Amino acid sequence: MTVLVNLIVTLGMLYVVPAGLRLIDPAGLRTAARLWPVPAALGALCLWLPRGIPATVLAALYAAAALALATRAPARLLEARRRSRAGGAPPRTTVSGPAEVAVCTALVSPSIAATALVAERAGYRLFGFDLDILALTVPHFHFAGFTAALVAGLVCRAGDTAPATAPGSTPGSATLSRWAAYSVPGGTLLVLLGYFVDDWAELAGAVVLTTGMWAVALLTWRDIRPGVRDRTTGALLGTSAAVLVATMLLALWWAAGEATGITHPTLTWMAATHGLGNALGFALCSVLAWRRLTVD
């Protein structure tokens, strides 16, 4: 399981995060996206070293970059609030409301992943969690945290800016996209709180997160994909939407099993199915598709 998890995390660090930053704000986050591969390479390298001081130092350098990125979130929220009060129309990359909540959640998520990484590489049971749980927190907040919130925000942006007569647009799409943009960050936070409360709280978070991700999948398949002329982009969007249906069902199964005791997949099996599916089928396909959409 360790090798698979490390490969998934490496993908998130080196490609998904910097590509996602360019999608959030191509101008404002240009420098951060361009420089990100440097600390990301250090973070990726520490994954393959034995636990100890060298691995911990490399993880700490990555964490410093992730924390610096997280400080961008409050400034964006304050700017969005200021524009809303002033009555001015926000620029395309600074949409107030649920879309901004989602993308700011994406900006904060790598810092949570990096904090867990530092503790795990040091062999320190942060908050009493087993090292295996800390290790799995790293990919969780690169993908369920960063990428899921990012895509929910992008879908919400598309719903807010698209005219009602746009191809694929259906009644209720805007409301559903706002629900997704709120519920994905909310569900991710509830899952995190569930770590400290109990398995039932984590199950509640999984339910909220799953409904939000299924909303993202539905909007992607029904509203966004039909308006795409490029076949490759359409296939990437379709794949990302289809994969979410299966991977989030697995997440619900696992969380329900932990809470109720019913038979459910092991962590190793979840990493090979839910984790790999979300990393390649959802995250990578989504980022590639949205990058192509922005170029077009």
Side-chain angles (χ1 to χ4, degrees):
M1 182 179 74
T2 300
V3 172
L4 178 60
V5 170
N6 287 351
L7 289 172
I8 291 173
V9 173
T10 299
L11 172 66
M13 288 178 171
L14 291 176
Y15 177 74
V16 173
V17 172
L21 295 179
R22 292 184 174 92
L23 292 171
I24 292 174
D25 191 344
L29 294 173
R30 180 185 304 163
T31 301
R34 186 167 57 245
L35 296 178
W36 187 264
V38 177
L42 300 178
L45 177 60
C46 84
L47 297 169
W48 304 96
L49 296 177
R51 292 190 182 107
I53 293 177
T56 304
V57 170
L58 294 176
L61 292 173
Y62 177 67
L67 289 170
L69 180 63
T71 62
R72 300 290 192 98
R76 288 183 63 89
L77 287 174
L78 289 173
E79 176 63 15
R81 186 177 182 184
R82 183 189 69 80
R83 288 180 177 275
S84 178
R85 286 183 172 181
R92 182 177 64 85
T93 55
T94 312
V95 179
S96 59
E100 194 62 33
V101 170
V103 297
C104 285
T105 300
L107 292 175
V108 171
S109 292
S111 64
I112 300 174
T115 300
L117 178 64
V118 173
E120 190 275 334
R121 293 288 78 195
Y124 175 67
R125 296 182 60 187
L126 184 66
F127 301 120
F129 292 118
D130 291 339
L131 297 182
D132 286 345
I133 297 298
L134 292 174
L136 292 173
T137 300
V138 181
H140 182 79
F141 278 91
H142 276 98
F143 292 99
F146 180 84
T147 315
L150 165 68
V151 175
L154 294 175
V155 168
C156 187
R157 279 182 185 173
D160 285 342
T161 58
T165 56
S169 180
T170 58
S173 291
T175 300
L176 187 61
S177 68
R178 293 187 185 102
W179 159 254
Y182 279 133
S183 61
V184 171
T188 302
L189 178 60
L190 285 173
V191 170
L192 178 62
L193 291 176
Y195 289 177
F196 300 94
V197 181
D198 58 24
D199 292 333
W200 285 100
E202 190 171 351
L203 174 59
V207 170
V208 174
L209 178 59
T210 297
T211 58
M213 294 308 297
W214 281 349
V216 168
L218 176 61
L219 290 164
T220 299
W221 182 272
R222 186 189 66 185
D223 295 358
I224 297 173
R225 184 185 58 87
V228 175
R229 296 180 180 179
D230 178 67
R231 285 189 176 183
T232 300
T233 305
L236 289 169
L237 289 171
T239 299
S240 69
V243 165
L244 274 181
V245 176
T247 57
M248 295 312 298
L249 190 60
L250 286 169
L252 277 180
W253 183 15
W254 186 84
E258 289 290 296
T260 66
I262 64 173
T263 302
H264 60 287
T266 64
L267 286 177
T268 300
W269 201 81
M270 284 293 289
T273 54
H274 169 82
L276 190 61
N278 272 342
L280 299 181
F282 167 65
L284 183 60
C285 287
S286 291
V287 171
L288 288 173
W290 282 96
R291 287 279 289 166
R292 292 172 68 90
L293 287 173
T294 57
V295 171
D296 294 341

